[in-house]
Amino acid sequence: MSQGHALYLEVDGLRTHAWVRGNGPPLVIVPGLGCASWMYVRLSRELARSRTVYVYDPPGHGYSQGLRHLPDCIEQLTDHLAHWLDAAGLKGSPIFGHSLGGEVAFDLAARYPKHAGALIACAPTGIPENPSVPAQLVRLLVDLPRERLGLLIPGLRAYAHCGVRRMLKLAQDQDGHDTGPLLAHIHVPTLLVDGTSDPVIRLWTLEAIRKAIPAAYVCEIRGGTHALTDVFPRTVARYTLDFLKAVNQ
């Protein structure tokens, strides 16, 4: 299978990177907080067996340019994603969001209803009951020893690229970014995926989101941690591809 290639586009004055691999209908992966395209290699390889996968780097993440004041909030992440989809000719493509990327995907589908053909939200944030920033950091520390050792160095590299200030600003914005009212405006097919051993996003969080999107499908992965995309790439890819086939995406 081809290793893929880098795609750079100028979006809102920022040089924006995505890694592209595979053949077939498009699918866009939106990373979690502080994460980067290189952290989703295992998942993108599995999905690329039947899809053209675009692993998008948000502003200030991975290889994408950011500014000191941009992005400072989740809505800025969503706006940039929408504009990038326009620039890449991918408007209406399915969106796969991991962690904070899932929250951005919800925001996109609600505020830009024609930009997402379907949603796959993996271990998503996005409800006001999420804990405070310090509590989330504690949960991440609990989760780290459970993840694959091979993800540690790529993950630390991604966090260093993003920077502590930007990560804290975006994490703090979660307190004020209540997607609850937005979830009722999501009218595209939606799949929610979570792991039963994820200390960051608890199962009750997923249930609250499911109640707000009654037509959403739910898949739980036994023993899955927060980095489901890296530890269980084949399982996540199979659920994703089966779902997209079922909803004709």
Side-chain angles (χ1 to χ4, degrees), residues 60-131:
H61 292 64
Y63 295 121
S64 289
Q65 182 184 9
L67 301 174
R68 180 171 175 79
H69 64 282
L70 181 70
D72 272 351
C73 66
I74 292 166
E75 286 193 357
Q76 289 177 350
L77 289 175
T78 305
D79 293 340
H80 187 274
L81 174 59
H83 300 161
W84 178 83
L85 290 168
D86 288 332
L90 294 170
K91 181 178 176 180
S93 299
I95 306 294
F96 181 108
H98 173 239
S99 193
L100 182 68
E103 185 167 351
V104 171
F106 293 146
D107 199 32
L108 178 79
R111 295 201 294 117
Y112 294 86
K114 296 183 179 180
H115 280 67
L119 299 182
I120 302 93
C122 185
T125 60
I127 61 171
E129 289 84 356
N130 281 339

Side-chain angles (χ1 to χ4, degrees), residues 14-220:
L14 300 175
R15 191 166 186 256
T16 304
H17 169 268
W19 189 258
V20 187
R21 59 162 40 96
N23 294 287
L27 172 63
V28 176
I29 295 178
V30 181
L33 174 63
C35 297
S37 51
W38 58 75
M39 296 176 65
Y40 296 86
V41 170
R42 286 160 64 88
L43 175 63
S44 65
R45 283 177 177 164
E46 295 296 329
L47 292 168
R49 298 180 188 277
S50 57
R51 290 267 168 174
T52 301
V53 183
Y54 296 77
V55 192
Y56 157 84
D57 276 331
H61 292 64
Y63 295 121
S64 289
Q65 182 184 9
L67 301 174
R68 180 171 175 79
H69 64 282
L70 181 70
D72 272 351
C73 66
I74 292 166
E75 286 193 357
Q76 289 177 350
L77 289 175
T78 305
D79 293 340
H80 187 274
L81 174 59
H83 300 161
W84 178 83
L85 290 168
D86 288 332
L90 294 170
K91 181 178 176 180
S93 299
I95 306 294
F96 181 108
H98 173 239
S99 193
L100 182 68
E103 185 167 351
V104 171
F106 293 146
D107 199 32
L108 178 79
R111 295 201 294 117
Y112 294 86
K114 296 183 179 180
H115 280 67
L119 299 182
I120 302 93
C122 185
T125 60
I127 61 171
E129 289 84 356
N130 281 339
S132 65
V133 172
Q136 289 186 57
L137 293 176
V138 169
R139 287 186 179 185
L140 282 170
L141 290 174
V142 171
D143 181 67
L144 281 177
R146 307 181 185 187
E147 303 297 356
R148 189 176 66 91
L149 186 60
L151 185 64
L152 180 60
I153 292 177
L156 291 175
R157 178 181 164 217
Y159 295 155
H161 272 252
C162 187
V164 173
R165 177 193 173 277
R166 191 185 312 279
M167 291 180 64
L168 285 175
K169 288 284 288 184
L170 291 172
Q172 289 167 349
D173 186 56
Q174 287 182 278
D175 289 337
H177 185 254
D178 181 3
T179 59
L182 294 175
L183 295 176
H185 296 283
I186 294 176
H187 301 297
V188 297
T190 301
L191 173 67
L192 307 175
V193 184
D194 201 13
T196 58
S197 298
D198 182 354
V200 181
I201 306 299
R202 304 296 176 85
L203 292 177
W204 60 262
T205 305
L206 204 72
E207 180 62 20
I209 296 173
R210 188 201 64 78
K211 287 181 179 178
I213 313 175
Y217 299 84
V218 178
C219 289
E220 295 177 1

